[in-house]
Amino acid sequence: MAKVKEKPKHIAVVMDGNGRWAKAKGMPRMYGHKVGVDAVNRLLEACKKHEIKYITIYAFSTENWKRPKGEVDGVMNLLRMNLKRLKKDAIKNKVKVKILGDKSVFDSGLKKLLVETEEGTKDFEDYHFNIALNYGGKEDITQACKKIATMVKDGNLNVEDINADLVQGNLYTEDQPPVDLMIRTSYEHRISNFLLWQLAYAELVFLPVMWPDFSEKDLVEAIDIYMGRERRFGNINP
């Protein structure tokens, strides 16, 4: 059986377990989210060390609005608090930050911070850090279809010219490579409407660690599992 020879170019992470981790320690759920920010920083440092060029985290889904208002507000405030530092660190390390999802629903202050972070890092190409925020895989594909339908309606595109590359080019990830490896912590076995198109041929690794405890060791374990697998993309080995 032929093993994967190269490390993944694009890793996506479902950062699960913050609330349960906090509850197990007798703390409120928001404490888990706050400590989870440190795990994100560890992830980024480890990915740079291991030369992973593209990393996407699932920060807040289109379904997460259903959570208690206090928790949602707390997550938004946590995001505000960390965006300025993120922009500063991204510029220092030449990391391009991209927000995946519909930013229009956020208040003007938060939206301004998100746009400024993207604009301030848009010219970097060494590393790419995607934050899926108010993101859903179904919504991602739907908005791409609307863009393409508008092109057809306006007479700028023939139906016959619609193909997979065109769809990909209208997703939030646009010209980025597909996900090679998706990691989900807390050992839940589902993808939860995350990057449905981009995960088409990704290897999925589910780890028993809760997100606040995630470390470089866990990243290396997931990469090792990935490199021990056989990726055929519908083909067979000779």
Side-chain angles (χ1 to χ4, degrees), residues 1-203:
M1 183 173 70
K3 307 291 185 181
V4 178
K5 295 181 180 179
E6 296 180 352
K7 288 182 180 179
K9 293 182 178 68
H10 189 166
I11 292 178
V13 182
V14 180
M15 309 177 296
D16 198 15
N18 288 341
R20 280 167 287 162
W21 180 88
K23 184 178 180 181
K25 295 183 178 298
M27 300 294 287
R29 288 177 59 85
M30 274 310 303
Y31 178 70
H33 293 307
K34 290 177 181 177
V35 178
V37 173
D38 295 329
V40 173
N41 293 331
R42 290 194 296 272
L43 171 70
L44 294 177
E45 290 174 4
C47 283
K48 184 176 181 181
K49 178 179 177 180
H50 293 276
E51 299 185 325
I52 307 300
K53 300 296 185 182
Y54 294 83
I55 180 76
T56 302
I57 62 168
Y58 207 3
F60 195 86
S61 77
T62 49
E63 289 76 30
N64 285 154
W65 297 104
K66 301 174 185 176
R67 294 188 175 188
K69 184 178 184 300
E71 182 173 345
V72 171
D73 290 344
V75 170
M76 294 300 125
N77 288 332
L78 193 61
L79 183 61
R80 286 187 189 89
M81 290 169 53
N82 285 277
L83 275 172
K84 289 185 179 180
R85 187 183 69 176
L86 171 63
K87 178 183 174 183
K88 181 180 178 180
D89 291 345
I91 291 173
K92 177 182 176 181
N93 295 294
K94 297 184 177 180
V95 178
K96 182 175 184 177
V97 179
K98 184 173 179 59
I99 307 303
L100 310 185
D102 180 8
K103 296 190 287 289
S104 68
V105 300
F106 299 115
D107 65 63
S108 58
L110 180 52
K111 192 188 311 180
K112 182 173 181 288
L113 287 172
L114 293 170
V115 171
E116 287 176 349
T117 302
E118 286 188 302
E119 286 295 312
T121 63
K122 66 181 181 180
D123 295 327
F124 299 130
E125 292 296 337
D126 290 356
Y127 293 92
H128 299 252
F129 178 40
N130 300 321
I131 305 174
L133 197 61
N134 189 34
Y135 176 89
K138 291 180 179 180
E139 190 272 333
D140 193 358
I141 296 170
T142 299
Q143 63 86 31
C145 291
K146 288 180 178 178
K147 289 181 183 177
I148 294 169
T150 299
M151 285 186 264
V152 173
K153 179 182 177 182
D154 293 344
N156 298 319
L157 177 71
N158 295 320
V159 172
E160 295 77 15
D161 294 327
I162 299 174
N163 55 32
D165 289 337
L166 183 65
V167 175
Q168 169 61 39
N170 283 280
L171 296 173
Y172 288 120
T173 50
E174 299 178 308
D175 58 351
Q176 295 186 15
V179 175
D180 298 305
L181 167 63
M182 190 206 82
I183 302 168
R184 181 169 187 149
T185 56
S186 85
Y187 216 54
E188 296 286 355
H189 292 73
R190 53 182 176 271
I191 60 176
S192 298
N193 195 22
F194 184 39
L195 300 172
L196 299 179
W197 179 282
Q198 298 88 337
L199 286 173
Y201 276 102
E203 296 297 320

Side-chain angles (χ1 to χ4, degrees), residues 205-233:
V205 173
F206 302 98
L207 299 176
V209 63
M210 295 294 182
W211 179 248
D213 290 328
F214 188 87
S215 68
E216 180 185 354
K217 176 182 68 68
D218 300 302
L219 176 68
V220 170
E221 178 184 348
I223 291 174
D224 286 343
I225 292 172
Y226 167 85
M227 296 185 72
R229 292 185 179 172
E230 180 184 14
R231 304 188 82 197
R232 298 189 301 272
F233 301 97

